[in-house]
Amino acid sequence: MIPVRGFDGANVAVLGLGRSGLSAARALRAGGAEAICWDDNQAARDRAVGEGFIVTDLSKNDAFQGVARLIVSPGIPHLYPEPNRIIAAAQAAGVPVDNDIGLFFASLGLGEWDQFDVTPKVVAVTGSNGKSTTSALIHHILCEAGREAQLAGNIGRGVLDIDPPGEGGVIVLELSSYQTELARSLTPDIAVFTNLTPDHLDRHGGIGGYFAAKRRLFAEGGPDRAIIGVDEIEGRFLAGQMMESSGDERVIRISAGQKLNGGWTVTARKGFLAETRKGRQIASIDLREISGLPGSHNHQNACAAYAVTRSLGLAPRLIEDALHSFAGLPHRSQLVAEIDGVKYVNDSKATNADSAAKALAAFGKIRWICGGLEKEGGIGGAAQHLDNVVKSYVIGREAATFALLLKDHPHSICTTMAEAVKQAAADAQPGETVLLAPAAASFDQYNSFETRGDDFIQQVQRLSA
């Protein structure tokens, strides 16, 4: 655990008692603060009471009297589309609002690291797509190299639940826009921006607010090194803002398709990763046969992880060996089975059109299982890759409405996962791929994309039972 510093003897309110909220309450208590907790869910409140925390309805009048700060869980809106009523009450009372990420950065180290010859590092990864895989891949490479590493944030453990790092230890954080937008302290040693595509626009008041939330990791944090995907205009803009000159090696630009000039770059073109520095190629890696990283979108993730681990002093050959042993993440281009020459791939994490488009581009001859709670923009860019799709199988409570987005493309309205897998399996021919890449949120039928992916896996397993 990372005890929270700076609130010894103070009352700190905690709103939302899921993983991050309870973790923050425990870390506040470990640092000498009194955590005053609230969640609209009775079961969550009962868990907090069971751990000995004070539970008080923070919506009551004068609830913030004597409170030093309000710590908010990431899923609770604080600005758009409108502030949660309790956050609004805290703001009206003049109580600063923060989250567990801000507490983490404000509390980590603080003089205890003077004993180390090699100071621990924090790597923070944000972006629209690929940040989970990139974070996990960085962690995997470091572990394979024998370096002490911990994975936390949106993936792995809560940031305040991790162990204090040791000599030369590395903490790898995956951070969402919800987390970067609110954190009062953001001071990573290395910051990574993968890409930007429209998502969570209602929460951020549009694409500009969404980008601004991501940009805070760099503008507020002032990392020693910034690794930035430049395949979108926002990434190119951010890289330009961070660089002092074209040869500034504090910024490493990455791309999954472009040839980049000047400075320190890592690119993946036609399946080959290349590191170039001061106009000279340093290393090259063939990514095409790395089973855990299929498709150009995963090649971009490989570029980002390579750039981070090179910045931390690892040799190219060691990184290449570790890439080959990476198994990938559940629900992200996950090969579930191969039955009678047909591959079944679970990419339930493809909850928006852009991430689905990347999955569709990674495979050929696809039986596409799609649908769910439609996001703004519909299937958007995914429609550009329908040439790879033999037929679509639409799931979700509003499957018929979602199917209208496919227009004249061959499709079947299945509604349930069981029916979609059954029909796709019956239609599929050897050499084809049955791909779950919904291009939609899961919440019409499932409580998470993980649950949706698990259902897909179970239905596939029944095919060979």
Side-chain angles (χ1 to χ4, degrees):
M1 178 184 292
I2 307 294
V4 171
R5 311 298 179 86
F7 295 98
D8 189 12
N11 293 329
V12 179
V14 178
L15 177 61
L17 299 174
R19 185 187 69 163
S20 66
L22 273 179
S23 171
R26 296 182 193 113
L28 284 160
R29 182 165 59 188
E34 183 74 76
I36 301 171
C37 304
W38 182 253
D39 192 297
D40 289 340
N41 182 276
Q42 182 64 52
R45 298 199 297 269
D46 291 343
R47 286 193 296 271
V49 170
E51 293 194 32
F53 291 111
I54 297 172
V55 173
T56 298
D57 187 348
L58 295 175
S59 66
K60 291 183 176 179
N61 291 336
D62 299 326
F64 287 99
Q65 187 171 353
V67 171
R69 189 157 297 182
L70 172 63
I71 307 304
V72 178
S73 293
I76 302 173
H78 57 272
L79 186 57
Y80 301 117
E82 62 181 53
N84 174 278
R85 69 190 190 285
I86 292 174
I87 296 176
Q91 292 168 338
V95 174
V97 180
D98 202 352
N99 61 15
D100 61 328
I101 304 301
L103 295 179
F104 167 83
F105 278 112
S107 302
L108 191 65
L110 292 183
E112 298 171 357
W113 290 2
D114 293 344
Q115 62 182 306
F116 296 134
D117 293 325
V118 180
T119 304
K121 302 289 186 184
V122 177
V123 178
V125 181
T126 196
S128 295
N129 300 309
K131 55 185 179 293
S132 295
T133 297
T134 298
S135 301
L137 185 54
I138 295 166
H139 179 257
H140 172 78
I141 295 169
L142 291 169
C143 291
E144 289 293 295
R147 295 282 293 271
E148 177 198 310
Q150 299 182 75
L151 183 62
N154 251 16
I155 187 173
R157 302 161 70 185
V159 292
L160 295 167
D161 283 336
I162 67 172
D163 302 320
E167 179 85 22
V170 181
I171 299 167
V172 184
L173 303 181
E174 179 201 338
L175 299 181
S176 72
S177 57
Y178 293 0
Q179 294 168 311
T180 59
E181 183 178 44
L182 190 59
R184 296 175 65 85
S185 180
L186 284 167
T187 54
D189 298 283
I190 300 173
V192 180
F193 177 86
T194 58
N195 50 57
L196 193 86
T197 59
D199 207 358
H200 310 303
L201 300 189
D202 59 336
R203 174 68 181 263
H204 297 294
I207 189 69
Y210 180 47
F211 175 52
K214 302 286 189 185
R215 181 181 173 276
R216 285 194 75 245
L217 184 63
F218 300 81
E220 304 289 335
D224 296 329
R225 176 153 285 128
I227 293 160
I228 301 174
V230 294
D231 287 337
E232 294 86 28
I233 58 171
E234 292 87 358
R236 293 191 288 274
F237 173 80
L238 180 59
Q241 284 201 313
M242 299 298 293
M243 297 170 69
E244 292 293 336
S245 67
S246 60
D248 187 351
E249 293 195 346
R250 295 175 303 167
V251 176
I252 304 177
R253 291 172 295 142
I254 63 171
S255 171
Q258 301 180 58
K259 181 180 179 180
L260 303 177
N261 298 314
W264 191 353
T265 66
V266 181
T267 59
R269 302 177 70 208
K270 299 181 179 179
F272 286 88
L273 181 151
E275 177 190 2
T276 303
R277 199 167 182 179
K278 296 179 179 178
R280 185 169 67 90
Q281 183 170 303
I282 303 298
S284 178
I285 298 173
D286 186 350
L287 301 173
R288 295 172 298 176
E289 300 304 319
I290 298 178
S291 60
L293 296 166
S296 62
H297 62 302
N298 275 313
H299 294 174
Q300 185 194 51
N301 300 335
C303 288
Y306 179 95
V308 169
T309 49
R310 283 289 285 142
S311 297
L312 293 170
L314 273 61
R317 179 61 62 185
L318 193 156
I319 299 172
E320 180 176 2
D321 290 344
L323 291 176
H324 280 278
S325 63
F326 181 65
L329 289 178
H331 313 297
R332 298 162 177 86
S333 296
Q334 175 190 10
L335 179 61
V336 174
E338 185 168 348
I339 303 171
D340 297 330
V342 177
K343 292 181 178 179
Y344 293 81
V345 175
N346 167 27
D347 203 339
S348 184
K349 184 61 169 64
T351 59
N352 59 46
D354 185 73
S355 55
K358 289 178 168 61
L360 292 175
F363 303 95
K365 296 182 180 179
I366 295 168
R367 302 280 174 175
W368 183 27
I369 299 177
C370 59
L373 188 63
E374 184 183 344
K375 290 191 173 181
E376 185 177 346
I379 60 173
Q384 300 174 16
H385 297 279
L386 290 180
D387 289 345
N388 293 358
V389 178
V390 180
K391 184 178 178 180
S392 301
Y393 304 80
V394 187
I395 63 173
R397 292 179 184 171
E398 303 297 329
T401 302
F402 193 94
L404 293 175
L405 301 173
L406 298 170
K407 299 181 180 178
D408 296 330
H409 194 273
H411 64 269
S412 178
I413 298 172
C414 301
T415 306
T416 67
M417 185 71 73
E419 184 61 24
V421 171
K422 178 183 175 181
Q423 287 194 31
D427 295 344
Q429 302 296 313
E432 294 182 347
T433 298
V434 175
L435 171 67
L436 171 65
S442 60
F443 302 121
D444 62 329
Q445 290 182 309
Y446 304 95
N447 60 16
S448 68
F449 73 83
E450 292 96 341
T451 306
R452 177 173 58 190
D454 289 340
D455 190 14
F456 174 77
I457 293 170
Q458 290 172 8
Q459 301 305 326
V460 171
Q461 290 172 339
R462 288 173 183 168
L463 295 175
S464 55

